[in-house]
Amino acid sequence: APVSLLSRFRGALVAAVLGDCVGGEFEGAEDVPLDRVLQHLSGLEDETRGDGILQYSDDTAMMRCVAQSLLTRMGFDEQDMARSFAKEYSLAPGRGYGSGVIQVLRKLASPQLSDVFQPARAQFGGRGSFGNGGAMRAAPFALAFRSAADVSRYARFGAMLTHSCSLGYNGAVLQALAVHLSLQGDLALPQKFISKLISEMEEVENDETSRSDAKVLNLAEFPYCARLHRVKELMEQNSVSIEEVISELGNGIAALESVPTAIFCVLHCLEPREGLPERYGGLERTIAYSLALGGDTDTIACMAGAIAGAHYGISAIPQSWLKSCEGAEEAEHLAERLYKLYNITQSEE
Ligand code: F2R
Ligand code: MG
Ligand code: MG
């Protein structure tokens, strides 16, 4: 049956929370045997475990701030979003934030601060963060804006509140665009989906700052496009090992090492895969596969979850998984409100 847009909206935010919650178990682990992943996931079906047993981390905490701010301000307002990040951090600092970004979040709490982008610019000796913290929270931008140009523009500004290095904010743009295309049903044609992302990113990375950051960091020209071309090559291979995915795409905390990886997880799991239970649908496969890569599992599963959830819709998420995750219900509610906002702005245009 066709998946409704509302179901896609709900699926995107709820599966992002799901990825974060179930991925926390393996964050930072180098070797994650698939058996352990499947055991962890089947444990969620145990009814005696209780609701909301798996807590969400910074990924969801910041994504909620993005969604709430977009809703309250009916669009992007950097002051409000910055304040929301700072408040969330001060209320719950123990959600596993990156060690650099906490300095930004503390500075954003200052009432004297007028330029809310300044603390991010001061990070890492003025180079800015290239971590995946901007990308992990980017999904709501795709639910709030209708055109790819707006999704891209505001995901970039939203990320720049904490990540001023182009590798950090361009990762957020890529993640938001992937969710945007998935919401439109573009994953039905996977090759076209990846080609569209490459052509969008060719434009995004074709600016002076992105070009010079790539040079300074000793990366290939147009680094995200280069990784997306590797995703395309891996998709064309008959079989791909976990080791190959990690060495070709990465599984780390840098946005460049994790956003293309999350996109690959979704594309790879569109079809049944060896080692994953036959009863699993595509969304369950995506989450399980993201965890089996190890490394930054909560964030890769969160980003892959958002893209996959936008494709398969809310009904693809098993109830028992959903019930186990703190914040899943609230994410569904936020998605419904964003859907209403999306329809209002759509009809005004
Ligand atoms: N922080 C984590 N995981 C670490 C373990 C947490 C632990 N489980 C706990 O219980 O506390 N996860 C979360 O952080 C990632 C998002 O990080 P974000 O927001 O990008 O933070 P930050 O600090 O800006 O960057 C992360 C690290 O990347 C390196 N880095 C970034 N830019 C750099 C630069 N220009 N030069 C050198 N290094 C740079 C640094 O090591 C940063 O600390 C997500 O995984 C989320 O789940
Ligand atoms: Mg986290
Ligand atoms: Mg993480």
Side-chain angles (χ1 to χ4, degrees):
V3 184
S4 73
L5 189 59
L6 175 58
S7 175
R8 291 176 187 274
F9 269 55
R10 291 157 81 203
L13 292 202
V14 174
V17 175
L18 170 73
D20 177 21
C21 289
V22 299
E25 171 81 6
F26 305 107
E27 192 186 21
E30 250 177 52
D31 259 321
V32 183
L34 197 50
D35 281 0
R36 270 195 63 205
V37 170
L38 299 180
Q39 212 175 15
H40 178 53
L41 293 173
S42 63
L44 306 182
E45 285 155 30
D46 177 353
E47 296 200 346
T48 60
R49 280 180 56 144
D51 295 352
I53 189 89
L54 299 174
Q55 293 194 333
Y56 64 73
S57 76
D58 55 332
D59 305 48
T60 300
M62 295 193 92
M63 188 179 78
R64 286 166 78 235
C65 294
V66 170
Q68 272 156 357
S69 176
L70 291 170
L71 283 163
T72 313
R73 306 301 303 155
M74 292 180 78
F76 180 67
D77 174 338
E78 67 264 28
Q79 300 280 341
D80 185 75
M81 201 171 282
R83 263 196 306 274
S84 174
F85 290 154
K87 189 170 174 205
E88 170 62 36
Y89 175 70
S90 73
L91 291 173
R95 294 267 186 199
Y97 286 85
S99 53
V101 77
I102 58 179
Q103 295 169 44
V104 180
L105 298 172
R106 285 189 187 128
K107 289 182 191 169
L108 288 177
S110 163
Q112 277 84 45
L113 186 74
S114 55
D115 178 2
V116 288
F117 294 103
Q118 191 282 326
R121 285 198 296 268
Q123 289 295 92
F124 298 99
R127 288 189 309 275
S129 172
F130 51 62
N132 55 19
M136 72 189 184
R137 62 178 192 248
F141 290 101
L143 278 60
F145 299 102
R146 186 184 169 203
S147 71
D150 280 348
V151 170
S152 178
R153 177 176 309 120
Y154 295 115
R156 180 173 185 264
F157 285 138
M160 284 171 88
L161 289 167
T162 49
H163 292 68
S164 76
C165 175
S166 64
L167 272 303
Y169 60 72
N170 284 345
V173 170
L174 174 57
Q175 169 64 11
L177 286 172
V179 177
H180 169 76
L181 293 182
S182 181
L183 286 173
Q184 318 297 315
D186 282 19
L187 272 167
L189 296 171
Q191 290 292 346
K192 216 167 155 192
F193 173 87
I194 195 79
S195 299
K196 272 193 191 175
L197 279 180
I198 292 172
S199 77
E200 291 282 354
M201 291 309 288
E202 276 167 357
E203 233 176 274
V204 169
E205 294 195 283
N206 191 20
D207 78 306
E208 220 176 286
T209 312
S210 302
R211 282 170 167 271
S212 108
D213 282 350
K215 231 181 232 168
V216 171
L217 291 165
N218 220 2
L219 298 164
E221 275 194 321
F222 292 70
Y224 281 100
C225 292
R227 295 271 159 140
L228 291 172
H229 278 291
R230 280 189 225 162
V231 168
K232 210 170 176 194
E233 283 157 21
L234 291 174
M235 281 163 72
E236 283 156 10
Q237 276 180 215
N238 285 338
S239 77
V240 186
S241 68
I242 296 271
E243 292 73 23
E244 231 174 324
V245 177
I246 298 169
S247 77
E248 289 291 309
L249 303 176
N251 64 355
I253 205 166
L256 185 66
E257 301 272 316
S258 50
V259 184
T261 313
I263 292 169
F264 175 76
C265 291
V266 180
L267 291 163
H268 185 70
C269 294
L270 287 168
E271 289 167 28
R273 294 288 170 190
E274 207 187 318
L276 294 172
E278 274 176 32
R279 68 186 164 90
Y280 272 13
L283 190 129
E284 292 146 287
R285 287 195 293 271
T286 304
I287 297 290
Y289 188 78
S290 307
L291 268 47
L293 294 181
D296 197 357
T297 47
D298 67 331
T299 304
I300 294 174
C302 170
M303 296 189 293
I307 305 165
H311 175 62
Y312 298 107
I314 189 76
S315 57
I317 307 173
Q319 272 300 317
S320 59
W321 289 20
L322 209 149
K323 269 178 54 194
S324 308
C325 299
E326 180 197 13
E329 232 174 273
E330 201 216 344
E332 196 165 349
H333 189 53
L334 287 170
E336 283 159 11
R337 290 174 59 203
L338 282 166
Y339 178 76
K340 278 191 197 139
L341 177 69
Y342 183 91
N343 283 316
I344 294 168
T345 46
Q346 199 167 10
S347 56
E348 278 172 357
E349 276 170 23

